[in-house]
Amino acid sequence: CKSLPETVLFQLLGLSIATLSTVTHYGLRFTLISNISLDSNSYRVIHHRAFYFGICLSMTLILAALLSSAATVRESQCLTAMGFFCFALAFCGLIPAACWRYTHSTEVEDSMMDVYDFMYEEVRRNTSSSRRHELTAIHEAFLCCGKHSPFGDTTNVEHKTCPPGQVHDEEKDCLREIRDFLKKHMDFV
């Protein structure tokens, strides 16, 4: 039988997972990449699945905590069993998620970088491209500018799409900024 303080902690955990899922789904950087990505890129699918999985997990934890609270107050074995079942469902849902994260550790990062690479090359090849606004939006959202090339073959892309003051700033390489952003986000998760 769970005590009431433990169920409050599970409710807070469920609310924090729901908040994190919502921020991940509707956050500017994630939404921007999702809207720009092509249908052939896996990022949009991962983006939506992660959101729905997080919301389902959080609702399961909140339901389990509420059932456990009610079971404690009413001393009901049936409510205790239902709460335990919800906790078991949450645990069983976390195992495949952890396995996916381990086996596909770079898939999200790679798909986000593929979106950026595609946009950058599209604008580089065709300077009148309608994609220039989207590339500019990425540069503004990630506070970065272009890609660092060991060959030094930068083009006018940076001059036309980067925020002022960030052109040719090697510390603001977009691929590095995207990687760093995702690493910080996953550390928080």
Side-chain angles (χ1 to χ4, degrees), residues 43-56:
Y43 179 75
R44 190 176 295 167
V45 172
I46 295 169
H47 186 208
H48 290 297
R49 284 184 183 173
F51 172 69
Y52 293 121
F53 176 78
I55 293 298
C56 289

Side-chain angles (χ1 to χ4, degrees), residues 114-161:
D114 287 346
V115 170
Y116 181 77
D117 280 336
F118 173 77
M119 296 300 301
Y120 186 88
E121 292 303 319
E122 184 79 15
V123 171
R124 189 177 68 78
R125 277 185 267 142
N126 185 3
T127 57
S128 65
S129 172
S130 62
R131 301 268 188 190
R132 185 182 314 154
H133 296 317
E134 294 168 339
L135 186 63
T136 302
I138 292 173
H139 287 163
E140 290 173 358
F142 285 96
L143 299 174
C144 61
C145 183
K147 299 189 301 187
H148 175 67
S149 172
F151 305 110
D153 67 336
T154 58
T155 62
N156 290 332
V157 172
E158 285 86 1
H159 295 291
K160 295 178 182 178
T161 62

Side-chain angles (χ1 to χ4, degrees), residues 36-134:
I36 293 172
S37 68
L38 300 174
D39 291 335
S40 61
N41 188 306
S42 63
Y43 179 75
R44 190 176 295 167
V45 172
I46 295 169
H47 186 208
H48 290 297
R49 284 184 183 173
F51 172 69
Y52 293 121
F53 176 78
I55 293 298
C56 289
L57 177 64
S58 68
M59 293 302 123
T60 303
L61 285 172
I62 291 170
L63 178 63
L66 291 173
L67 288 171
S68 294
S69 296
T72 301
V73 170
R74 292 181 156 215
E75 296 180 1
S76 169
Q77 290 180 348
C78 181
L79 290 175
T80 301
M82 288 173 31
F84 179 77
F85 179 73
C86 287
F87 282 122
L89 279 178
F91 180 74
C92 290
L94 284 174
I95 291 173
C99 289
W100 185 88
R101 172 73 175 106
Y102 179 73
T103 58
H104 297 85
S105 61
T106 62
E107 189 170 338
V108 175
E109 180 181 316
D110 292 344
S111 62
M112 282 183 87
M113 288 187 188
D114 287 346
V115 170
Y116 181 77
D117 280 336
F118 173 77
M119 296 300 301
Y120 186 88
E121 292 303 319
E122 184 79 15
V123 171
R124 189 177 68 78
R125 277 185 267 142
N126 185 3
T127 57
S128 65
S129 172
S130 62
R131 301 268 188 190
R132 185 182 314 154
H133 296 317
E134 294 168 339

